[in-house]
Amino acid sequence: MKEIGIAIIGHGFMGHEHEAMLTRLEGYRVVGISDRDPEQLADVKEGIKRYSANEELFADPEVEVVLIAANNNQHHDLVIQAAQAGKDIICEKPVAMNTKELEEMEQVVKECGVKFTVHHQRRYDQDFRIIKEVYDQGALGEVYTLKNSLYGFNGNMHDWHVSISEGGGMLYDWGVHLLDQVLWMMPGAKIKSVFADVRNVINFEVDDYFKILLRFDNGVTAEVELGTYFLTDKMQEKWFERHWFIGGNKGSAYVDGFEPEGKIVRTSHLLTNVAGQRTMTAAGPTRSFGPPPEGRIVTEDVPGIDTCHEDYFRNYHQAYCGEGEFLVKISETRRVLALMEAVRKSAKSEESVRFEE
Ligand SMILES: NC(=O)c1ccc[n+]([C@@H]2O[C@H](COP(=O)([O-])OP(=O)(O)OC[C@H]3O[C@@H](n4cnc5c(N)ncnc54)[C@H](O)[C@@H]3O)[C@@H](O)[C@H]2O)c1
């Protein structure tokens, strides 16, 4: 198997993750790592070069691919420099701070003729792949609603992630993943409109909460919600909450958690024109929202999907060696950035924004 010589720029949280994964994966050799803060290189594994500057990394003929894992506001310049050095590039998400930056990067990448993709490894999250499989199977009939949400208790973000100028905030951090998942799940569907609420609930500079509603031309309205200070007592055990929900006219499905648990849920027969039974509740009588009669709710297991983040680099290796394509296309990342611009516009104007029409 070909060994791709890869170098990492940025040896922080994600740089360490990449170093660990790529040194255990077949088909890669981590040639070296650079970081503008030399202290970050103190624990680079034995056998891997420590570059004292990015220029040294770019000049190293053993490096075929540069993996950029530096702060978000560095991606633009680093991608351009790597391309000009003739290196192929994997850039961390968000690929750029905005579409204008990305267009400039794409231009140089094209001129230099290098390969360029983005680390959207959350397309291989198990919870996502399971709900995607349910959607792809079409078992829920016509889907009308889809929800992708993530909640945590610790609204305080850290380091540069609290600085706007460096690309901090949860939209850039997790929003980019959650939106990418929804768009990639329904690749043929166009977004007609976007309504968003983006807030700094307990942070001073950067967003730490958002609710985004996307109206698609396939009839689906998707809700993407993230709260970093969104408290329930269930978090005592789980420390975060991760949920997917899809509703169709032939059933619903949910998948919860990163170690996912989910079900497809249907009624024993469709309830069109079934007369409602009068039920007394503590909040008064109801004919529509009483408990379901015995046997009315039936469940099926969601499909089991075996996948993990290493699959991202397996796909990369295959595509790099000419078998198939990179999973993540730059045009898809451009669409996500454009959507995030519409999200911010809607949040600012407090109005919905037309998109892709
Ligand atoms: N795909 C994912 O799941 C995921 C998860 C976390 C972070 N990220 C992304 O990874 C990137 C890094 O985030 P992080 O949380 O690891 O940050 P971090 O602060 O932990 O690490 C970033 C490192 O890059 C170094 N750096 C910054 N600019 C540099 C430059 N011009 N040249 C060399 N080194 C430079 C910093 O000194 C730091 O050590 C961001 O783009 C972030 O969005 C992706």
Side-chain angles (χ1 to χ4, degrees), residues 113-231:
V114 297
K115 300 182 175 80
F116 181 28
T117 186
V118 179
H119 186 240
H120 266 297
Q121 89 287 15
R122 292 207 173 278
R123 289 190 187 179
Y124 289 101
D125 281 2
Q126 227 182 352
D127 59 311
F128 168 57
R129 281 302 178 106
I130 291 171
I131 205 80
K132 181 177 181 314
E133 181 63 23
V134 172
Y135 179 83
D136 288 348
Q137 285 175 358
L140 305 180
E142 282 172 32
V143 173
Y144 61 93
T145 190
L146 185 162
K147 185 164 180 175
N148 181 8
S149 55
L150 176 66
Y151 307 110
F153 71 93
N154 188 8
N156 283 317
M157 281 178 272
H158 46 84
D159 309 317
W160 60 268
H161 292 274
V162 295
S163 149
I164 285 188
S165 61
E166 293 191 70
M170 274 293 145
L171 253 183
Y172 280 139
D173 195 359
W174 266 92
V176 73
H177 284 304
L178 302 181
L179 292 171
D180 178 70
Q181 288 175 333
V182 170
L183 299 199
W184 193 61
M185 188 163 157
M186 304 187 291
K190 293 233 174 332
I191 301 166
K192 289 162 53 170
S193 64
V194 179
F195 179 80
D197 184 11
V198 181
R199 309 256 181 152
N200 312 5
V201 177
I202 62 169
N203 280 274
F204 297 110
E205 249 190 63
V206 295
D207 60 275
D208 51 18
Y209 170 84
F210 53 80
K211 185 195 282 287
I212 300 168
L213 292 174
L214 305 174
R215 188 82 197 230
F216 285 86
D217 68 356
N218 62 355
V220 176
T221 295
E223 179 180 352
V224 178
E225 187 175 53
L226 175 146
T228 57
Y229 192 66
F230 199 101
L231 308 174

Side-chain angles (χ1 to χ4, degrees), residues 9-16 18 34-37 40 54 68-75 78 81 91-94 119-122 158-161 166-167 172-174 176-177 309:
I9 300 186
H11 199 229
F13 170 79
M14 212 51 204
H16 279 82
H18 288 310
S34 71
D35 197 295
R36 68 180 174 190
D37 175 0
Q40 292 288 82
N54 294 335
I68 296 169
N71 310 23
N72 295 341
N73 68 340
Q74 301 295 303
H75 295 181
L78 290 171
Q81 288 158 16
C91 185
E92 262 304 343
K93 49 49 59 175
H119 186 240
H120 266 297
Q121 89 287 15
R122 292 207 173 278
H158 46 84
D159 309 317
W160 60 268
H161 292 274
E166 293 191 70
Y172 280 139
D173 195 359
W174 266 92
V176 73
H177 284 304
H309 290 170

Side-chain angles (χ1 to χ4, degrees), residues 59-76:
D60 187 340
E62 288 181 52
V63 175
E64 293 168 273
V65 176
V66 177
L67 172 46
I68 296 169
N71 310 23
N72 295 341
N73 68 340
Q74 301 295 303
H75 295 181
H76 172 269

